[in-house]
Amino acid sequence: MTSNTNRKKVSLLDLQAKKQRGEPITMLTAYDYTGALLVDRAEIDTILVGDSLGMVVMGLDSTVPVTMDEMLHHCRAVARGATYAHLIGDMPFMSYQADVSEAVRNAGRMLKEGHVDSIKLEGGREMAATVRAIVAAGIAVMGHIGLTPQSLSKLGGFRAQGRTAEAARRLLDDALALEDAGCYAIVLEAVPAPVAAEISRRLRIPTIGIGAGPGCDGQVLVFHDILGLYDRLQPRFVKEYAQLQQPILDAFVAYREDTVHHRFPTAEHSFSMNAEELEAFQKSLEE
Ligand code: KIV
């Protein structure tokens, strides 16, 4: 396993420099300390505590019910393990949509209570004023357009966006509006590859794709998806780099079998006691 204990934390300047050098930026989600340690040791550039935790950690059908307190709880855990990667906290649904000052206050909570380095929010030009206000408060913002899971009610389902000329043009305008408002990067989710490539070419800031093809400046995947741990239907853009469900299940079954057949624990997993103390203990029981 790679160790990066001596490496300095990835900064926004590092991400911008990678775009300029044409070097892909890597990003993975994580939701707890142990997961964050592993992602961090793999020298992934950025960790996102995504509101996808509602689905992969909490078993919900969408990200919509996730709350600020749930996000903060997971952000704090991940922050303890992420000493190298730039850490991003996802703003949950209705923590920033209703009112700009509430958005600024909640973004501030992400940094002060969640210990993240920057925040991410969903939406295009309609979010420009909110992004401006959060950035003006000194908080770096990552945008997220294309398939925005918090707008499931409006989008009518998880499906690719920007597939007509007009919709593609709207996406580009959204991306430019977010860049102009001060975003340091933008996630493009489920967008046709040529549209994502064109947006990436036209922006000064990096784009991070998920289901948006190879023309983005970086890629992001969900922790449980790349490890083959999530058992619901996967979108076609997910690549499983390991199938860990079966080995984990095998370990749990082996533990159950060992326990019920008295093979675990053995002496090597138990504490011994001084023979005299044990005898004294047993004698005390007879009195
Ligand atoms: O919540 C999440 O995991 C995300 C990524 C898919 C970008 O927003």
Side-chain angles (χ1 to χ4, degrees), residues 24-25 69 86 99 142 171 183 186 214 245 251 271:
I25 296 165
D69 286 341
H86 177 87
D99 173 312
M142 173 179 271
L171 272 183
C183 280
I186 301 178
Q245 231 182 41
F271 295 102

Side-chain angles (χ1 to χ4, degrees), residues 266-279 281:
T266 58
E268 93 182 271
H269 305 110
S270 308
F271 295 102
S272 60
M273 189 177 180
N274 175 296
E276 281 172 23
E277 291 297 335
L278 179 57
E279 200 183 326
F281 170 61

Side-chain angles (χ1 to χ4, degrees), residues 14-215:
D14 294 326
L15 302 181
Q16 187 61 43
K18 281 198 165 202
K19 164 144 184 148
Q20 263 131 24
R21 291 196 298 268
E23 210 178 296
I25 296 165
T26 52
M27 173 159 147
L28 275 175
T29 67
Y31 311 100
D32 62 16
Y33 169 75
T34 306
L37 267 188
L38 292 169
V39 175
D40 209 65
R41 284 178 188 167
E43 299 195 349
I44 299 294
D45 297 314
T46 57
I47 295 181
L48 169 69
V49 186
D51 63 353
S52 49
L53 72 85
M55 299 174 77
V56 297
V57 176
M58 296 166 68
L60 299 167
D61 290 331
S62 82
T63 60
V64 168
V66 175
T67 66
M68 266 306 285
D69 286 341
E70 284 160 352
M71 287 305 304
L72 290 170
H73 172 83
H74 287 270
C75 285
R76 277 193 293 272
V78 171
R80 291 181 198 113
T83 53
Y84 169 74
H86 177 87
L87 182 58
I88 305 155
D90 218 357
M91 298 281 284
F93 182 54
M94 290 318 292
S95 67
Y96 59 96
Q97 286 92 342
D99 173 312
V100 173
S101 358
E102 191 181 29
V104 175
R105 257 190 301 277
N106 281 327
R109 286 190 73 196
M110 283 288 202
L111 267 66
K112 283 169 74 98
E113 300 171 44
H115 310 303
V116 300
D117 301 312
S118 66
I119 61 104
K120 174 171 88 57
L121 53 76
E122 297 182 6
R125 72 202 84 168
E126 73 284 2
M127 281 299 147
T130 304
V131 169
R132 254 192 198 95
I134 298 174
V135 173
I139 301 167
V141 179
M142 173 179 271
H144 181 162
I145 56 173
L147 171 54
T148 46
Q150 292 177 11
S151 325
L152 209 56
S153 146
K154 189 172 78 184
L155 300 177
F158 292 103
R159 60 171 68 98
Q161 303 294 307
R163 299 185 89 174
T164 64
E166 197 191 331
R169 182 69 225 204
R170 269 200 307 273
L171 272 183
L172 172 61
D173 291 344
D174 281 340
L176 290 168
L178 289 173
E179 176 176 81
D180 190 53
C183 280
Y184 71 86
I186 301 178
V187 168
L188 303 177
E189 179 165 355
V191 171
V195 176
E198 192 56 46
I199 293 174
S200 306
R201 264 194 298 276
R202 285 171 182 262
L203 291 187
R204 281 172 279 111
I205 58 174
T207 59
I208 311 289
I210 175 160

